[in-house]
Amino acid sequence: MTSRGGEPPRGGSRPMARGWTGPGGGYSSYLQAPDEWRGTTVQVCGLWPFAAGTGSPMIGVPLGRNIQSGSTLCCDPINWFTRAKLISNPSAFVLGRPGSGKSTVVRRMALGLAGYGVQPLVLGDLKPDYKDLIEALGGQVIELGRGRGHLNVLDPGESRKAALRLTGSARQAIQADAHGRRQTMVSALISIMRSAPPSDREETIIDEALKVLDERHEGTPVLRDLLQVIQEAPDRVRDVALDRGNLERYRQLTEGLEASLIGLVGGGRLGEIFSEQTDHPMAMDRPVVFDVSNIDDSETNLQAAVLLACWSYGFGAVAASQALADAGLEPRRHYFVILDELWRVLRAGRGLVDRVDALTRLNRQRGVGMAMISHTMSDLLALEHSEDRMKAKGFVERSGMVICGGLPRAEMENLTAVVPLSDEEQNMLIGWQDPPAWDPATGVEAAPPGRGNFLVKVGGRPGIPVHVGLTSVEREVNDTNKLWRTGADGRPLKLEIADDGSEEIVEEYTLDAPATPLPDTLMPPSDASAMPSDASAMPSDASAPPPSGDLATMPPEELATMPPPDSSTRVAARTGAED
């Protein structure tokens, strides 16, 4: 019962939502939100019924806070597949514009899964985004690049060791798997060299030549050995080449294949990274990262080839590890495989989508979780041929979960064709990609509004918006802008990050620091008196004394008699004098 003015009588049983109205009634125009506290059921059980359960899953790696409710979201593809039973495939596809924090959210998953005993495997780090994390976890860092290491694509790796310990069908299966991966990698490298896949005939020749090579060669072969087998034209290879008994016809049929292999062996566009034995075999009992950040971004073909080789090598090692575990010869290990910059490989040549699909289609019973990372759906759908575009879209469709950061409005049509998104979810993703605001007071840009914000989608369920915040420990291994840390004069700085996230300069490097002096044993003589008096006492590579006079005016016949330069002598660019 209320009064004429709509106010409850003072003698009523209860006040209105904001208190009693009228003078002295204590009516509040602003209702302050109550503080929210979090705790386990053991801690807050005495507060019942004033406790409410979280609306976000709490199984897996603590990823961040739900943007809408503030509750904790625990999320990773392995725990959501094995324990929570929320997804049917232990894989995640991460999409987002550069700078949105894609690598950060994947690093958080890798770090948390390492605590569960899952080994992170970063099969190709281009920036590098994961090197510091793997080093902090006590893992193995393998550097690849021009002059920085080799990766033999014909090296069976752990598969050969596993085959020696297995018997029967298990041995045959691991050998067949290794053979298929090597054939796939050789064909993929040829596809990148040509920007077109090899023909069916060439694929058959490669397959048979690899079988002949395994029978003839002792030890681990390299691409040069495969090229030699094809050039020697054994009968089995000639039979599959269909040369009709004509050796000249065989030479014509294999000429293009030989030219491609010579380019891989002789240091063509892809250098000599794949032409020598593997320098650092991959360890399977600890985290591993392949650091390929030394390859310049302009060498897109080389980047794609190295990434594909790392993926093949890594997945082959995982398959061998699981085969040994199935036979009871090794403990069961689980792996979290990270495939970053997926679009670079797919764009390198026609047919590479099939190669990637063949390398990465691991059976979910093998205990492998996977995270694929790309910028946008447009990157996957920009392939030239329609069949490649459809297969690339299947990478997202088959993923157990899709994690989206800030994306432009033009991307929504392509994304919603694969991942169902409501209008509100689309507007949320579009808002997260807005540029940062400019603070006129400090003259510094604020953080972008969507940095660290992601939407976790599983099938047609409503997405879970989450903000991933870094702890003080994570900031040390999550700084992807470390190359930009310089002082006012451009000198590089060494920083330490405190617990509260603040940065302190602990060391400043100088640009004009003197070079480390050479040891005395490597320094040249200081004067002519220290030189041997007779020519017989001089080293064999300097048996003739150098002629006197200016090199610019010296006759060519005298220049021809000069010994080669001593490797321990440096020549100053400006003075021309030895120092």
Side-chain angles (χ1 to χ4, degrees):
M1 181 177 180
T2 60
S3 63
R4 182 182 301 176
E7 300 179 4
R10 292 300 175 91
S13 60
R14 63 178 63 180
M16 299 179 67
R18 296 179 181 270
W20 299 106
T21 59
Y27 184 85
S28 176
S29 60
Y30 172 74
L31 187 62
Q32 184 177 2
D35 293 333
E36 181 177 330
W37 299 84
R38 296 180 299 160
T40 65
T41 54
V42 175
Q43 293 170 324
V44 300
C45 60
L47 300 179
W48 179 265
F50 302 106
T54 176
S56 302
M58 292 291 291
I59 299 177
V61 175
L63 196 63
R65 287 178 178 255
N66 189 311
I67 295 176
Q68 296 175 340
S69 66
S71 60
T72 300
L73 171 67
C74 295
C75 171
D76 69 80
I78 293 181
N79 282 294
W80 275 27
F81 171 72
T82 58
R83 297 170 57 201
K85 310 296 183 183
L86 294 174
I87 57 178
S88 58
N89 186 16
S91 62
F93 205 104
V94 184
L95 293 167
R97 297 193 66 178
S100 60
K102 300 186 299 296
S103 299
T104 299
V105 70
V106 176
R107 276 194 300 262
R108 169 66 62 82
M109 289 184 180
L111 179 60
L113 286 171
Y116 282 101
V118 178
Q119 304 291 354
L121 301 180
V122 186
L123 304 181
D125 191 0
L126 286 168
K127 294 187 181 169
D129 285 338
Y130 306 90
K131 178 181 177 181
D132 292 342
L133 173 63
I134 299 301
E135 287 181 338
L137 293 174
Q140 180 187 20
V141 178
I142 301 175
E143 289 191 2
L144 291 176
R146 294 189 185 274
R148 292 181 178 268
H150 301 90
L151 183 60
N152 180 14
V153 295
L154 298 186
D155 184 1
E158 296 296 323
S159 299
R160 169 174 293 176
K161 300 177 183 178
L164 296 176
R165 302 175 62 184
L166 297 171
T167 58
S169 60
R171 171 181 289 184
Q172 296 176 0
I174 197 67
Q175 289 175 337
D177 181 79
H179 176 80
R181 292 185 185 278
R182 293 192 299 167
Q183 179 188 358
T184 297
M185 266 312 305
V186 173
S187 299
L189 292 179
I190 293 175
S191 298
I192 294 175
M193 286 280 293
R194 301 177 177 178
S195 298
S199 65
D200 294 340
R201 188 194 301 266
E202 290 175 329
E203 295 250 19
T204 306
I205 293 174
I206 294 172
D207 176 71
E208 192 64 31
L210 283 173
K211 294 177 181 178
V212 173
L213 180 61
D214 289 338
E215 296 174 0
R216 292 184 176 183
H217 195 275
E218 294 184 2
T220 303
V222 294
L223 285 175
R224 189 177 294 103
D225 300 318
L226 177 63
L227 173 62
Q228 183 178 355
V229 169
I230 295 176
Q231 291 175 336
E232 290 176 354
D235 292 339
R236 289 169 51 184
V237 178
R238 291 183 59 181
D239 290 341
V240 299
L242 301 177
D243 66 352
R244 310 301 183 188
N246 188 336
L247 183 59
E248 184 62 27
R249 172 179 167 82
Y250 173 82
R251 300 298 184 195
Q252 296 175 357
L253 293 173
T254 59
E255 182 178 4
L257 182 58
E258 285 188 40
S260 298
L261 290 175
I262 290 174
L264 292 172
V265 171
R269 282 188 300 162
L270 302 185
E272 299 179 352
I273 297 178
F274 311 107
S275 61
E276 302 294 339
Q277 296 290 354
T278 300
D279 293 328
H280 303 286
M282 179 178 169
M284 297 306 302
D285 57 350
R286 51 182 171 151
V288 178
V289 58
F290 287 86
D291 180 11
V292 297
S293 59
N294 293 295
I295 303 176
D296 192 82
D297 287 340
S298 62
E299 297 186 281
T300 54
N301 286 337
L302 181 57
Q303 282 184 338
V306 171
L307 286 176
L308 201 59
C310 292
W311 297 354
S312 176
Y313 187 76
F315 280 117
V318 169
S321 174
Q322 302 300 357
L324 291 174
D326 292 339
L329 300 176
E330 290 285 345
R332 176 73 65 185
R333 298 186 178 96
H334 301 293
Y335 300 95
F336 181 53
V337 179
I338 300 172
L339 306 182
D340 206 346
E341 302 289 343
L342 180 67
W343 62 276
R344 293 182 184 269
V345 177
L346 301 182
R347 288 188 183 182
R350 181 183 176 186
L352 286 179
V353 177
D354 292 326
R355 309 296 178 190
V356 174
D357 186 56
L359 291 174
T360 59
R361 191 184 287 272
L362 283 180
N363 197 321
R364 60 189 178 188
Q365 278 82 22
R366 288 190 174 180
V368 176
M370 188 161 50
M372 295 184 178
I373 307 172
S374 190
H375 292 154
T376 62
M377 285 294 299
S378 299
D379 292 331
L380 303 179
L381 300 179
L383 303 176
E384 181 179 358
H385 301 277
S386 59
E387 61 270 19
D388 286 345
R389 291 194 294 269
M390 296 303 296
K391 293 172 184 176
K393 190 168 68 172
F395 290 138
V396 184
E397 293 174 336
R398 292 197 305 268
S399 297
M401 64 174 68
V402 179
I403 304 176
C404 300
L407 293 168
R409 185 178 298 274
E411 184 67 18
M412 292 301 112
E413 182 179 356
N414 293 331
L415 183 59
T416 53
V418 181
V419 182
L421 294 172
S422 65
D423 292 340
E424 183 178 354
E425 291 173 340
Q426 293 182 43
N427 292 332
M428 187 183 301
L429 296 179
I430 295 170
W432 287 346
Q433 60 96 38
D434 291 339
W438 178 264
D439 188 351
T442 61
V444 179
E445 283 187 349
R451 178 176 293 172
N453 293 344
F454 293 92
L455 184 69
V456 181
K457 289 287 295 184
V458 176
R461 300 173 185 171
I464 305 175
V466 59
H467 177 75
V468 181
L470 296 178
T471 64
S472 59
V473 176
E474 287 177 307
R475 291 181 188 274
E476 190 71 25
V477 295
N478 280 270
D479 185 9
T480 58
N481 297 322
K482 62 178 64 179
L483 295 181
W484 295 92
R485 304 297 190 187
T486 58
D489 57 354
R491 296 181 180 183
L493 305 176
K494 181 179 180 181
L495 305 178
E496 284 188 357
I497 302 177
D499 293 340
D500 59 357
S502 61
E503 297 178 350
E504 178 184 0
I505 299 175
V506 296
E507 188 173 354
E508 181 175 358
Y509 302 100
T510 177
L511 299 178
D512 54 357
T516 303
L518 292 172
D520 295 338
T521 56
L522 295 180
M523 292 295 290
S526 58
D527 53 15
S529 62
M531 297 290 292
S533 57
D534 60 320
S536 62
M538 296 187 67
S540 58
D541 60 349
S543 57
S548 59
D550 190 357
L551 293 178
T553 61
M554 188 176 297
E557 56 274 12
E558 293 189 23
L559 282 173
T561 62
M562 290 191 64
D566 188 354
S567 59
S568 63
T569 302
R570 294 189 299 114
V571 179
R574 294 184 179 178
T575 64
E578 296 182 356
D579 66 353

